[in-house]
Amino acid sequence: MALTKQQILQWLENCNRTFNERRDYLTELDTAIGDGDHGLNMQRGFSKVMDKLPTIKDKDIGTILKNVGMTLLSQVGGASGPLYGTFFIKGAQSAVGKEEISFEELVQVLKDGVAGIVSRGHAELGDKTMCDVWLPVVNQLEQEDGNQPLDALLKSAVEKANISLQATIPLIAKKGRASYLAERSAGHQDPGATSTTYMLEALYNAVK
Ligand code: ADP
Ligand code: MG
Ligand code: MG
């Protein structure tokens, strides 16, 4: 079962809605172990993406994703703007010219996107960053039997994301602002891992 361009556009709209709804919660999480701007960063970023969408929605999936990435990169400050920007720009590469993508192609998009985040931010599993959700989720997706329905595959990706998100709570941050707190970062859920989980939920909601 393929993911259509319409579903990709729905994904982006869902991201915008979710970051509007959960802006204050993300900000609360980032206030505890960062500088309190993550909710605003994500909400602003995706509202800029929404502004851009009318001019790019008729293009192919790769071009749409690349423009999303460039928008996030140029409009969102802090760590998360460049990291999510890179995610979409790198993820876009294998989807250039495509009006729909198979499950395997979606996994490639996510895999390339996450590789972009890692090459830019150098975070490893357990550093208490968004990579603590991305890496296990992409790993799981790569091992799935792609013949299952897409909604079921993405539902279990969201479940994996939520489990991985909870697992960030006891960790001591090794990257980003939270690492300045050292041991005091333990006991708090990572904001970026939370926004990544929301993006995966937004994707599932676009296909279910
Ligand atoms: P800033 O910390 O610059 O204010 P945000 O608050 O928007 O940026 O984003 C913070 C989130 O970015 C963190 O919760 C973490 O998940 C993520 N992050 C920070 N540094 C890195 C990194 N090097 N690699 C991956 N993710 C990172
Ligand atoms: Mg912040
Ligand atoms: Mg900041």
Side-chain angles (χ1 to χ4, degrees):
M1 215 164 61
L3 192 69
T4 64
K5 180 164 84 179
Q6 212 45 52
Q7 287 171 319
I8 294 285
L9 294 169
Q10 187 63 52
W11 175 29
L12 300 170
E13 281 173 30
N14 291 351
C15 286
N16 179 51
R17 179 155 37 82
T18 219
F19 289 128
N20 271 314
E21 288 169 1
R22 296 172 184 177
R23 184 191 66 187
D24 293 350
Y25 176 59
L26 287 173
T27 287
E28 215 175 279
L29 293 176
D30 196 37
T31 300
I33 57 170
D35 57 355
D37 62 356
H38 190 58
L40 192 63
N41 286 343
M42 298 310 293
Q43 183 266 317
R44 238 180 64 86
F46 276 90
S47 86
K48 296 288 182 187
V49 167
M50 287 302 107
D51 294 344
K52 180 97 188 164
L53 226 48
T55 64
I56 55 173
K57 67 176 176 36
D58 295 326
K59 307 258 199 279
D60 62 276
I61 292 175
T63 303
I64 291 169
L65 295 177
K66 182 168 157 244
N67 275 278
V68 169
M70 292 190 309
T71 302
L72 294 175
L73 196 63
S74 64
Q75 302 288 339
V76 184
S80 60
L83 292 169
Y84 281 128
T86 302
F87 168 79
F88 282 100
I89 290 169
K90 295 289 178 194
Q93 286 170 356
S94 68
V96 172
K98 294 184 174 144
E99 296 293 318
E100 59 172 46
I101 53 176
S102 66
F103 172 70
E104 286 73 18
E105 289 169 332
L106 171 66
V107 174
Q108 191 64 47
V109 164
L110 296 176
K111 202 178 152 182
D112 292 346
V114 174
I117 293 175
V118 170
S119 75
R120 187 143 190 158
H122 306 288
E124 291 171 16
L125 192 68
D127 284 353
K128 198 181 182 99
T129 71
M130 59 177 74
C131 293
D132 289 330
V133 170
W134 281 125
L135 293 169
V137 165
V138 168
N139 251 327
Q140 174 173 299
L141 284 169
E142 278 188 285
Q143 282 158 35
E144 295 280 14
D145 168 10
N147 293 318
Q148 297 172 75
L150 195 53
D151 59 346
L153 289 161
L154 290 176
K155 187 166 192 239
S156 58
V158 167
E159 284 162 6
K160 184 71 177 181
N162 276 295
I163 291 165
S164 307
L165 174 60
Q166 295 307 312
T168 66
I169 295 174
L171 295 174
I172 294 170
K174 298 281 162 46
K175 287 283 186 304
R177 281 178 187 280
S179 67
Y180 307 160
L181 295 178
E183 289 77 26
R184 281 182 292 135
S185 64
H188 300 279
Q189 184 172 302
D190 181 62
T194 310
S195 56
T196 291
T197 301
Y198 293 166
M199 284 173 56
L200 290 162
E201 283 172 357
L203 180 59
Y204 166 62
N205 285 326
V207 306
K208 75 168 189 206

